[in-house]
Amino acid sequence: FDRVTGLLRGLAASLGVSVSYIQVMTPYARAALLDNAEDRTSTTRVAAVSGKDTIGGVKSTLETLVATGDVLGAQVCVLKDGQAVVDLSAGVQSPYTPAPVAGDTLFNCFSVSKGVITAAIHRLSDQGKIDLNAPVSRYWPEFSSRCDVNFKDRTTVMHVLNHQAGLQTAGTAEL
């Protein structure tokens, strides 16, 4: 997949076009997975929820979400004072891998971390530990020397948080 994606990037760059590689590759990946999948005649949803729920209500909500198909699989963990008061897993890993979700099942998180990182940076800003208008290189000196973005010496933390830093192609030079 990585090799094909690299070839698509190179072809798109040489033609001067923008291509969504996921849209191109998804139908082929889906067909390949389904062609090689085992017999799926049994239900792919596992409604059983395992783990603990000491605050109540979370387990039944998760059971309902999985049983209705609103959620294919999930893990929920809630910490209070450093202790897990909820630690649940339910459902299946994917439509192509009907293995049950366990507490140690790994998932891609994609953009989930954006909100957490933004909240953390704003908290640091409120505490006076980071200046949102300061250049990124003040906190990450290697940014200016390693990043292939124009005006990187003037790129501020706020630019990064607002997706205005021009980083959409950062790291693609190696490809």
Side-chain angles (χ1 to χ4, degrees):
F1 184 81
D2 288 338
R3 179 173 281 178
V4 172
T5 303
L7 291 171
L8 284 172
R9 281 188 179 132
L11 180 60
S14 67
L15 295 173
V17 296
S18 176
V19 177
S20 170
Y21 310 111
I22 296 298
Q23 287 178 344
V24 172
M25 297 300 298
T26 297
Y28 298 105
R30 184 171 284 133
L33 289 167
L34 288 174
D35 286 346
N36 294 319
E38 298 173 11
D39 180 25
R40 304 269 189 255
T41 56
S42 63
T43 180
T44 59
R45 289 194 177 85
V46 177
V49 177
S50 61
K52 71 177 182 179
D53 178 7
T54 61
I55 60 175
V58 179
K59 185 173 184 176
S60 63
T61 300
L62 188 55
E63 285 172 339
T64 301
L65 290 170
V66 172
T68 60
D70 290 333
V71 170
L72 188 61
Q75 298 161 321
V76 179
C77 184
V78 178
L79 301 177
K80 181 178 180 184
D81 299 324
Q83 299 296 317
V85 293
V86 175
D87 191 2
L88 302 170
S89 56
V92 295
Q93 294 179 20
S94 82
Y96 312 110
T97 309
V101 173
D104 61 352
T105 301
L106 299 178
F107 289 98
N108 289 326
C109 65
F110 297 107
S111 297
V112 172
S113 62
K114 288 179 183 175
V116 175
I117 297 297
T118 300
I121 289 176
H122 280 282
R123 186 159 184 203
L124 290 170
S125 174
D126 288 345
Q127 296 170 356
K129 296 179 180 177
I130 192 168
D131 178 0
L132 299 178
N133 296 310
V136 173
S137 58
R138 177 185 294 175
Y139 306 101
W140 182 17
E142 296 84 5
F143 178 80
S144 292
S145 63
R146 295 194 56 172
C147 188
D148 58 355
V149 175
N150 292 331
F151 309 111
K152 57 192 167 199
D153 54 329
R154 291 181 281 166
T155 302
T156 67
V157 174
M158 187 60 78
H159 287 132
V160 174
L161 291 175
N162 288 329
H163 301 276
Q164 297 174 328
L167 297 175
Q168 66 272 16
T169 59
T172 59
E174 306 86 52
L175 300 175

